[in-house]
Amino acid sequence: MTNPVIETHKLTRYFDSFCAVNGIDLRVERGTFYGFLGPNGAGKSTTIKMLTGLLAPSDGDMVILGRNMRDPKDALQVKSRIGVVPEDLALFDNLTGREYLTFIGRMYLVPRPTLHTRIDELLSLLDLQNEEKKLTLEYSHGMRKKLALAAALLPNPDLLFLDEPFEGVDAVTSRVIRDLLAGFVARGSTVFLTSHILEIVERLCSHVGIIVKGVLVEQASLDEIRQGRSLEDRFLELVGDDAEVHPKLRWLEENVS
């Protein structure tokens, strides 16, 4: 069995008395396109924040890229080898797009000639080349999402964490991002993705984990998860589909005269 790039044991996070993530055991192999799914509030973003060192776990262990995230020196080494598109993006509003990418590249110690080439290529690929002199404060949500992805890819990471990367992105850019990520995985790198768009997960991901109320209820290859059915059907079965007992709006069911 190969060494996983992500492995957790009883990973747990409390917020006061509320348990957001409850003792999950993740295992993600190198070269995997891993989809991490769950309803709103299930613990997906909290898990990513712990895996990337943005949030300390309340209990449990994490080994990322073979290093113990509980050890500050190991955690720093991991952070130099990962790219992250967080849920809240966290861009610097008073920098232009190019200035922001330059800052990120310098933080990762990317050599200047390489940095300029990569920035040019990323801006062109994500159709931001005509917006690079605008402050990120002026960017639309979709543009900010693309800039955050460019920043995550800039250091050429071994492992990429993406929290809802397709939210607010137009169809053309979505296709470009899908192709880019598929090539990224094909070379042997790893993507850990959260998304509410199950069609994209079904198209891209080779493995899936499903978290419900902080508990990892399923983790397997996509085919094993689906069991010959659609991912949507299996997802609803695992998370609990209460559609039949949802209250109805009677005034929307009346015939229009």
Side-chain angles (χ1 to χ4, degrees):
M1 184 177 292
T2 59
N3 292 326
V5 294
I6 299 174
E7 189 169 28
T8 72
H9 178 67
K10 302 299 181 185
L11 187 63
T12 301
R13 174 67 197 200
Y14 280 93
F15 293 96
D16 295 325
S17 60
F18 173 68
C19 187
V21 176
N22 188 3
I24 66 172
D25 296 335
L26 287 169
R27 185 181 177 94
V28 180
E29 303 290 341
R30 184 176 301 278
T32 298
F33 206 130
Y34 190 98
F36 193 52
L37 309 180
N40 289 332
K44 301 185 300 297
S45 294
T46 298
T47 299
I48 281 189
K49 288 176 181 178
M50 288 191 288
L51 295 176
T52 56
L54 295 175
L55 187 65
S58 302
D59 198 6
D61 298 307
M62 303 178 291
V63 176
I64 311 295
L65 296 170
R67 294 182 178 272
N68 180 8
M69 289 294 284
R70 290 285 203 170
D71 183 298
K73 290 183 179 179
D74 275 6
L76 187 60
Q77 287 294 320
V78 169
K79 290 176 183 179
S80 71
R81 297 172 56 196
I82 65 174
V84 184
V85 177
E87 181 184 29
D88 55 6
L89 299 184
L91 306 179
F92 294 125
D93 289 342
N94 292 319
L95 295 180
T96 67
R98 179 171 286 274
E99 287 171 343
Y100 177 71
L101 293 179
T102 300
F103 170 76
I104 295 297
R106 297 290 293 170
M107 289 288 290
Y108 277 93
L109 303 179
V110 179
R112 284 184 184 274
T114 303
L115 177 59
H116 294 320
T117 299
R118 289 182 185 176
I119 289 176
D120 288 342
E121 291 176 348
L122 285 165
L123 289 173
S124 177
L125 179 66
L126 295 170
D127 197 26
L128 291 172
Q129 68 272 27
N130 295 325
E131 316 293 342
E132 63 177 88
K133 294 183 180 179
K134 286 185 179 179
L135 297 178
T136 62
L137 178 66
E138 303 174 60
Y139 279 20
S140 68
H141 178 74
M143 290 164 58
R144 291 170 67 85
K145 185 75 73 171
K146 289 191 287 185
L147 186 64
L149 178 60
L153 292 168
L154 186 60
N156 194 19
D158 296 318
L159 173 59
L160 192 59
F161 290 94
L162 305 174
D163 198 350
E164 296 291 347
F166 296 97
E167 182 186 28
V169 174
D170 62 79
V172 174
T173 303
S174 177
R175 176 63 180 270
V176 170
I177 293 174
R178 292 201 312 266
D179 290 346
L180 189 156
L181 295 177
F184 181 78
V185 172
R187 73 168 196 179
S189 299
T190 308
V191 172
F192 188 94
L193 163 82
T194 75
S195 178
H196 287 110
I197 308 174
L198 296 183
E199 293 85 355
I200 287 179
V201 173
E202 200 160 13
R203 184 178 301 176
L204 286 176
C205 294
S206 58
H207 291 72
V208 170
I210 298 177
I211 185 172
V212 180
K213 297 180 180 179
V215 177
L216 189 66
V217 297
E218 191 70 272
Q219 178 177 224
S221 72
L222 178 62
D223 288 340
E224 290 171 328
I225 291 281
R226 288 188 300 190
Q227 298 181 358
R229 298 151 64 188
S230 73
L231 179 59
E232 180 181 33
D233 287 344
R234 280 291 289 148
F235 177 79
L236 292 175
E237 179 182 306
L238 289 166
V239 305
D241 181 13
D242 299 325
E244 294 184 0
V245 298
H246 286 171
K248 301 182 186 303
L249 295 174
R250 297 186 183 280
W251 54 272
L252 286 180
E253 297 179 342
E254 296 174 356
N255 292 328
V256 178
S257 58

